[in-house]
Every structure is written in C-alpha cells, then in structure tokens.
Amino acid sequence: MKFLNKLERKYGKYAIDNITLLLILGYVIGYVIQKINIDMFYMLTLNPYYIMKGQIWRIVSWVLVPPSELGFFTIIMLFFYYSIGRTLEQTWGKFKYNIFIISGIIFTVVSAMVAYFILPSSVYEVYKIPAAFTGEVFNFVKGYIISAFVSTYYINLSIFLLFAALYPDMQVMLYFIIPIKIKWLAYLDLALMAYEIYQYGFVCGVIVFASLLNFLIFFVLILQAKGKTPANARRKRDYQKKVYSAKSVYEGGARHKCAICGRTELDNPNLTFRYCSKCTGSKEYCEDHLFTHEHK
C-alpha cells in the first residue's frame, strides 16, 4: 500500500477517470463489430499464434471483446458492473483503481503468452486434438484454444470479487426477486471457476489465475488495511491463550490480577487489565500500572 501511495503521489495526475465506463464503451464497440463483420471481430481476440505472426494489436484489442452475448441480462449486468466500478473508484481512488484494472489486463496477456509456449502435450487428450496435428498446425490450434479462454469476463469478475471483499454484507436482489448478500454470490463465482478449471484443465487454470491475480494482490491489501495480517492474527491467538490460562487461577475466581498492586476485577469491576507485550510470561497489569511498571 505504501508503494502504491508513492506511485499515486508521483503519477496520480495521469490516472484515467471513470475507467469502468471506458471498458463498457469498449464492449459496445465490440458488439457492433461482431454484428457488422464477424471476421474483423475474430481479429480482435487475444490469439498468441497470430501475435507471433506480427498482429500485435491483439495485445490490446481483445479488451473490446464482450464478456458474453448481448441480451437483456447482459445489459443489466453491465449497468451493475458500472455501479460497483464507480464505487470502487471512489473507495480506492481512481489511480489505485486504474492500477487494478490495468494490472488485470497485463496479467491476462502475459498468462496467454506463457500458456502458448508451455502448453503440455496432454493438450491433445484434454482438448481432443488429433495426433496428426503437429508443427505449425499444432501452434495454430494452441493459439485458437487459448483465445477461446481469454475473455474480459474475468476482468469483470475481478471487479466484482474486489467489491465483495470490501462490502461482503451488502445485499442485492438476485433476478430482482431474491435478496442475497453479495459475499455468497462471490463464493458461488469462485466455486464455478474451480469447476471450470477442473473441467478444462491447464489452459483454463493459467488464464483464470492470472486474470484474477490482481484481485488476490488487492485482497491482501484489504486485509492489511483492516489489520487482518498474520502477525495480528498471531497476537490475537497469543492473547486469547493468556486469557484462557489466567481464568480461575486467582483466589475467589478472579480472571485478572495486576502484577504490581494485586488488585483484581473483584476489587473494582471498572478496572481495565492488559497483558504487557514487552514482559516475559503472562504478566497482567491494571490500567494504573500498565504504562508505569518496570518490564520484567
């Protein structure tokens, strides 16, 4: 987060405002091209085979390929993604949100190229490719398979998952009828992705993981912002162990006892007790001696 803040102070003025709207407008252009000229539409896809043949515009143009066929529910979903995208932009700031979107696009492109070069020979069995397809023909088929999995669907999904991580208890109306917390929809999407990876294997796994890598990175930042780091979790566990070990240790059933004055909560129910992180052992102090005692 500190690194992003430094970048924002230096390059924040170059951030694109309302980048979600630009993505949706790109989909509109993609839908128009798809209806007018299907051959031109296929020239937009992220196909590593053709990129290696010099069609480098595909590195960027695939962002225009819509995540699904145009229909009523697709339009509703695009409005929904626009809404949550604007909320994320307002929550994180447009620079960090730009980084989130752009990094997702870059990770997807890199993963597609990596998958193209390291696609295992088992692809023949998984995707039912005839063994006679070798050499240049096999490279063409690999490129086609990868382009079929690369989609802006996962970019949109990463936006949704980030929103669910920030606002897990927000309620939405599924199909305008069923009230449901957004975190359960996120869990459902993750389960469906796991099934897709199981069903389609290596290529799908690489593309999905890379497409959502930006979400994983920002999710860690969210946990850090909320104080849910491994170090904090460990301190919480240690504290709970100390509290548990101290229960019913003292006479009269007191759970807390100051190591300096010997007072317990039975002497004064309003006293606050804390363990000192700098003292060894389970030494507990009342509020009057917590900051004034000599560490042992």
Side-chain angles (χ1 to χ4, degrees):
M1 187 65 73
K2 291 181 180 180
F3 176 70
L4 285 177
N5 289 336
K6 289 181 180 179
L7 288 178
E8 185 172 10
R9 286 192 294 270
K10 191 172 183 180
Y11 302 107
K13 60 184 178 181
Y14 301 111
I16 302 171
D17 188 32
N18 207 355
I19 193 173
T20 307
L21 179 60
L22 292 181
L23 285 175
I24 293 176
L25 291 177
Y27 299 156
V28 173
I29 295 173
Y31 282 126
V32 172
I33 296 175
Q34 187 178 33
K35 296 298 181 182
I36 294 177
N37 191 327
I38 191 64
D39 292 330
M40 181 183 295
F41 178 78
Y42 285 127
M43 291 185 69
L44 301 176
T45 59
L46 181 57
N47 188 320
Y49 174 80
Y50 287 114
I51 291 176
M52 297 303 297
K53 295 295 183 179
Q55 298 183 10
I56 58 175
W57 66 80
R58 292 175 180 266
I59 295 176
V60 178
S61 64
W62 70 274
V63 180
L64 299 178
V65 177
S68 60
E69 293 294 328
L70 182 60
F72 174 74
F73 282 104
T74 302
I75 295 174
I76 296 299
M77 289 305 297
L78 290 179
F79 275 108
F80 176 69
Y81 280 122
Y82 174 75
S83 175
I84 64 176
R86 288 294 290 171
T87 302
L88 288 174
E89 187 173 319
Q90 293 168 2
T91 302
W92 283 77
K94 63 180 181 179
F95 179 79
K96 291 186 180 69
Y97 186 58
N98 273 214
I99 293 295
F100 177 76
I101 297 296
I102 295 172
S103 62
I105 294 173
I106 293 175
F107 291 151
T108 301
V109 173
V110 171
S111 68
M113 299 305 297
V114 169
Y116 177 75
F117 286 108
I118 67 172
L119 198 64
S121 58
S122 60
V123 71
Y124 282 98
E125 299 177 3
V126 175
Y127 301 105
K128 303 185 186 309
I129 301 175
F133 287 4
T134 58
E136 192 71 7
V137 176
F138 182 56
N139 290 334
F140 171 80
V141 174
K142 284 197 301 181
Y144 178 79
I145 291 173
I146 292 171
S147 67
F149 284 106
V150 176
S151 169
T152 50
Y153 166 77
Y154 296 112
I155 301 297
N156 291 335
L157 185 57
S158 68
I159 296 174
F160 173 74
L161 292 176
L162 182 63
F163 183 84
L166 284 171
Y167 306 100
D169 295 321
M170 180 179 176
Q171 186 171 279
V172 296
M173 301 300 291
L174 184 63
Y175 298 115
F176 307 105
I177 300 174
I178 308 171
I180 185 172
K181 288 185 178 181
I182 203 167
K183 64 181 179 182
W184 300 118
L185 292 177
Y187 291 144
L188 178 61
D189 280 331
L190 290 174
L192 291 174
M193 279 191 298
Y195 176 75
E196 287 180 359
I197 294 173
Y198 170 78
Q199 185 177 17
Y200 297 111
F202 175 81
V203 175
C204 183
V206 172
I207 300 299
V208 169
F209 176 77
S211 299
L212 299 182
L213 183 58
N214 59 335
F215 161 71
L216 297 176
I217 294 172
F218 274 74
F219 182 69
V220 171
L221 296 180
I222 292 173
L223 293 180
Q224 290 179 341
K226 292 182 177 180
K228 297 181 179 179
T229 61
N232 286 342
R234 184 170 60 254
R235 282 195 293 269
K236 183 177 180 180
R237 288 195 302 269
D238 292 342
Y239 175 78
Q240 291 173 340
K241 288 180 181 178
K242 290 178 180 179
V243 171
Y244 179 79
S245 63
K247 288 182 178 180
S248 302
V249 170
Y250 308 111
E251 295 181 3
R255 296 181 178 181
H256 307 286
K257 183 178 181 180
C258 179
I260 300 297
C261 64
R263 289 184 295 176
T264 69
E265 74 272 19
L266 300 180
D267 299 316
N268 186 349
N270 295 322
L271 272 179
T272 299
F273 296 86
R274 292 288 186 271
Y275 288 96
C276 179
S277 59
K278 295 183 179 180
C279 292
T280 57
S282 301
K283 292 181 174 60
E284 193 174 14
Y285 302 91
C286 69
E287 59 192 35
D288 296 330
H289 298 105
L290 178 61
F291 300 104
T292 59
H293 70 274
E294 181 180 350
H295 299 302
K296 298 179 181 180

